[in-house]
């Protein structure tokens, strides 16, 4: 939170101004405006009309701006004034149950809420030495995650998949059934039709009641899509500082990266791996490090990553996997079989599960993973009838318990789950694996 003196200093007009020299695409070049990167400016288009933008860089003695909306009507010689050198956001308890744009303005057709507090758009993450250890599990309401990929309060997880495999439905289930106090959801670069679908169908009244939703559509400028991620994170930080356990859901981190690439290229950055600019790989850790546990509360974050061509090693997926505390892989093959949520547990991992799950829970999870791996290795032989029962006791057990395992991993959208129920269900299957060992060979 900014103190009052700092707020006044940032809001004071500085008198700096310049003029528009040229536009290239959505980038505006301004002469005579020595404003810092990140400053907010106002561009006069016609008497009584103006638009806001942000300083994104400098080139050839010009200041480069990216507007918050389409720059229609901007012409050579338009006056540009500095508004403020840093951005802040109004926040408060009244944000729950509401939908906001990237600037923090309510866009759900209801009156603007009264928000008495302010938070920085780009706050520094908690210092590494001040972060408490993550030692308490958080129920997400998804049985496969709670049982086999148990997450802790303050953990950061990625949900990796191609398009159309069920990411939004999975996020909706978490929003409705999680044990977190507050949910903050960021929909970045979504198609306009899908926003209401997510709010009304996937989130529902129950999930929306304790949620704040931030929306930046695919038709909005890249700068707005990038700022939506910062806005959602700032809202989550406010509730964390109130002592709450916050669940931050961001769909998707890939579209954030694509928008950052667009800004970087417009500012003259050189493209590197698959056209992504260096600023993309600098922005990703700055964003995700803001989530986590602090001495006051926690932000448990799930970031969806849209995997290009279902390639888990494409640049954004590979980078994000190294920044997070685990990953959940959604399989197109499982989705095609009607297996939802389509979580491939053998390709997924929670790095903090050993810290937040007890010994019996971990042993049961390892045993179930082993059975799934054994069955997958012999699936072709079993399907064509070439496997002879008795050849491998572990394969026999996996085959006998396959229906139980699949029943555990599948979960209807309207069926809530808890961490305790997931643990008990996992232990029931684990105990069945021990019974054949008592029988004579």
């Amino acid at each position: 939170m900014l103190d009052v003196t700092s707020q006044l200093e940032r809001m004071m007009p500085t008198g700096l101004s310049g003029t528009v020299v040229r536009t290239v695409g959505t980038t505006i070049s301004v002469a005579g405006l020595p404003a810092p990167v990140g400053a907010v400016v106002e561009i006069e288009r016609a008497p009584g009309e103006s638009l806001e933008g942000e300083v994104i860089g400098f080139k050839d003695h010009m200041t480069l701006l990216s507007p918050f909306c389409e720059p229609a009507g901007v012409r050579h010689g338009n006056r540009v004034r500095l508004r403020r050198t840093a951005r802040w956001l109004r926040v408060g308890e009244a944000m729950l149950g509401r939908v906001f744009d990237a600037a923090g303005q309510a866009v759900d057709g209801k009156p603007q809420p009264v928000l008495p507090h302010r938070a920085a758009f780009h706050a520094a993450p908690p210092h590494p030495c001040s972060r408490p250890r993550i030692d308490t599990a958080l129920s997400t309401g998804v049985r496969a995650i709670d049982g086999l990929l148990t997450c802790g309060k303050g953990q950061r997880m990625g949900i990796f998949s191609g398009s159309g495999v069920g990411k939004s439905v999975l996020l909706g289930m978490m929003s409705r059934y999680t044990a977190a106090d507050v949910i903050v959801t960021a929909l970045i670069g979504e198609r306009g039709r899908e926003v209401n679908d997510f709010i009304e169908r996937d989130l529902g009244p129950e999930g929306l009641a304790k949620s704040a939703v931030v929306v930046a559509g695919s038709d909005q400028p890249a700068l707005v899509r990038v700022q939506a991620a910062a806005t959602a994170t700032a809202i989550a930080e406010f509730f964390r500082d109130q002592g709450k356990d916050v669940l931050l859901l961001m769909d998707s981190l890939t579209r954030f990266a694509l928008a950052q690439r667009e800004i970087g290229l417009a500012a003259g950055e050189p493209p590197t791996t698959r056209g992504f600019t260096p600023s993309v790989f600098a922005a990703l850790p700055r964003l995700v490090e803001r989530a986590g546990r602090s001495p006051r509360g926690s932000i448990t974050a799930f970031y969806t990553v849209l995997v290009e061509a279902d390639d888990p090693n494409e640049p954004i997926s590979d980078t994000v996997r190294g920044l997070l505390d685990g990953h959940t892989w959604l399989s197109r093959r499982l989705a095609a079989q009607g297996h939802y949520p389509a979580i491939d547990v053998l390709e997924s991992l929670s790095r903090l599960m050993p810290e937040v799950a007890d010994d019996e829970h971990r042993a049961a999870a390892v045993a179930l993973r082993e059975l799934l791996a054994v069955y997958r290795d012999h699936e072709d032989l079993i399907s064509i009838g070439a496997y002879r029962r008795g050849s491998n006791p572990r394969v026999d057990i996996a085959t006998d318990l396959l229906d139980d395992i699949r029943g555990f991993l599948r979960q209807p959208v309207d069926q809530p789950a808890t961490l305790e129920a997931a643990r008990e269900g996992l232990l029931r299957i684990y105990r069945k694996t021990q019974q054949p060992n008592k029988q004579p060979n």
Side-chain angles (χ1 to χ4, degrees):
M1 300 293 292
L2 303 175
D3 57 61
V4 175
T5 303
S6 178
Q7 291 174 18
L8 291 174
E9 289 176 353
R10 294 173 188 272
M11 293 170 61
M12 289 290 289
T14 62
L16 289 179
S17 65
T19 56
V20 173
V21 175
R22 64 173 176 264
T23 64
V24 178
T26 58
T27 304
I28 301 172
S29 299
V30 179
L33 184 70
V37 172
V40 177
V41 299
E42 183 181 59
I43 307 166
E44 294 181 354
R45 290 182 287 187
E49 294 184 12
S50 64
L51 64 85
E52 288 191 341
E54 183 175 307
V55 178
I56 61 172
F58 309 95
K59 188 176 183 180
D60 299 332
H61 306 290
M62 302 291 177
T63 300
L64 303 181
L65 311 179
S66 183
F68 295 151
C69 61
E70 290 299 320
V74 174
R75 61 176 177 79
H76 185 280
N78 280 150
R79 192 171 186 81
V80 182
R81 290 187 176 87
L82 177 64
R83 290 287 304 276
R84 51 186 178 272
T85 57
R87 299 195 68 194
W88 44 264
L89 176 75
R90 290 188 178 275
V91 292
E93 297 284 345
M95 301 189 93
L96 297 181
R98 303 298 301 274
V99 183
F100 301 90
D101 62 13
Q105 297 296 309
V107 292
D108 51 9
K110 302 175 184 177
Q112 295 292 329
V114 177
L115 305 174
H117 306 285
R118 288 178 177 148
F121 261 89
H122 303 289
H127 192 276
C129 294
S130 69
R131 291 179 184 258
R133 290 187 60 190
I134 296 174
D135 53 9
T136 306
L138 175 72
S139 175
T140 64
V142 179
R143 192 162 51 233
I145 294 177
D146 290 344
L148 297 167
L149 306 167
T150 313
C151 298
K153 294 180 180 178
Q155 186 168 349
R156 300 165 306 186
M157 289 281 287
I159 299 175
F160 296 77
S161 82
S163 57
V165 188
K167 296 186 300 297
S168 296
V169 175
L170 181 60
L171 296 183
M173 292 175 66
M174 290 184 187
S175 299
R176 289 197 300 274
Y177 306 138
T178 183
D181 301 318
V182 172
I183 302 102
V184 179
T185 304
L187 303 178
I188 301 171
E190 285 285 357
R191 295 181 287 274
R193 173 189 61 80
E194 292 186 335
V195 173
N196 263 342
D197 282 352
F198 178 83
I199 293 172
E200 296 178 7
R201 179 196 63 197
D202 298 329
L203 194 57
E206 181 183 356
L208 183 60
K210 61 175 183 177
S211 298
V213 181
V214 179
V215 177
S218 59
D219 60 326
Q220 295 185 279
L223 186 62
V224 174
R225 283 175 270 146
V226 168
Q227 289 181 347
T231 299
T233 305
I235 295 171
E237 288 171 332
F238 164 74
F239 285 106
R240 177 183 64 187
D241 292 343
Q242 305 303 306
K244 311 247 182 221
D245 291 321
V246 182
L247 180 64
L248 173 62
L249 306 174
M250 191 170 294
D251 185 16
S252 75
L253 204 58
T254 303
R255 296 191 183 105
F256 166 84
L258 292 172
Q260 184 64 50
R261 178 179 69 178
E262 187 177 332
I263 295 171
L265 291 173
E269 284 189 74
T272 55
T273 309
R274 294 198 187 179
F276 286 100
T277 57
S279 63
V280 174
F281 301 102
L284 286 170
R286 283 201 304 268
L287 178 66
V288 301
E289 281 294 332
R290 292 173 65 180
R293 190 177 176 192
S294 76
R296 295 182 179 180
S298 67
I299 300 176
T300 306
F302 281 81
Y303 301 96
T304 68
V305 180
L306 189 61
V307 180
E308 183 180 345
D310 290 348
D311 177 13
N313 297 316
E314 57 94 17
I316 298 302
S317 298
D318 198 42
T319 300
V320 171
R321 213 167 29 243
L323 296 173
L324 302 179
D325 305 315
H327 53 274
T328 302
W329 178 262
L330 301 187
S331 166
R332 192 175 298 277
R333 179 178 63 87
L334 290 177
Q337 296 172 359
H339 181 122
Y340 287 102
I343 298 173
D344 188 339
V345 297
L346 295 181
E347 298 294 334
S348 305
L349 173 71
S350 171
R351 292 192 175 102
L352 291 176
M353 184 174 178
E355 303 292 329
V356 298
D358 58 67
D359 293 342
E360 192 176 25
H361 186 171
R362 293 199 304 272
V366 169
L368 191 145
R369 281 175 173 271
E370 180 188 356
L371 293 179
L372 282 174
V374 166
Y375 184 84
R376 181 174 294 184
D377 290 343
H378 294 80
E379 188 172 6
D380 291 340
L381 294 176
I382 296 171
S383 63
I384 64 175
Y387 174 76
R388 290 185 58 189
R389 186 174 180 85
S391 302
N392 186 328
R394 300 306 294 172
V395 177
D396 296 342
I397 296 173
T399 304
D400 293 340
L401 295 179
L402 184 62
D403 288 341
D404 290 341
I405 294 173
R406 286 178 173 171
F408 175 80
L409 297 178
R410 288 173 171 163
Q411 182 178 343
V413 174
D414 58 354
Q415 182 185 95
T418 64
L419 178 63
E420 293 75 17
R423 180 181 180 277
E424 288 303 315
L426 191 63
L427 290 177
R428 280 196 296 271
I429 298 175
Y430 179 57
R431 294 184 187 108
K432 291 181 181 180
T433 68
Q434 307 304 304
Q435 294 171 4
N437 296 335
K438 300 177 182 179
Q439 298 174 359
N441 295 330

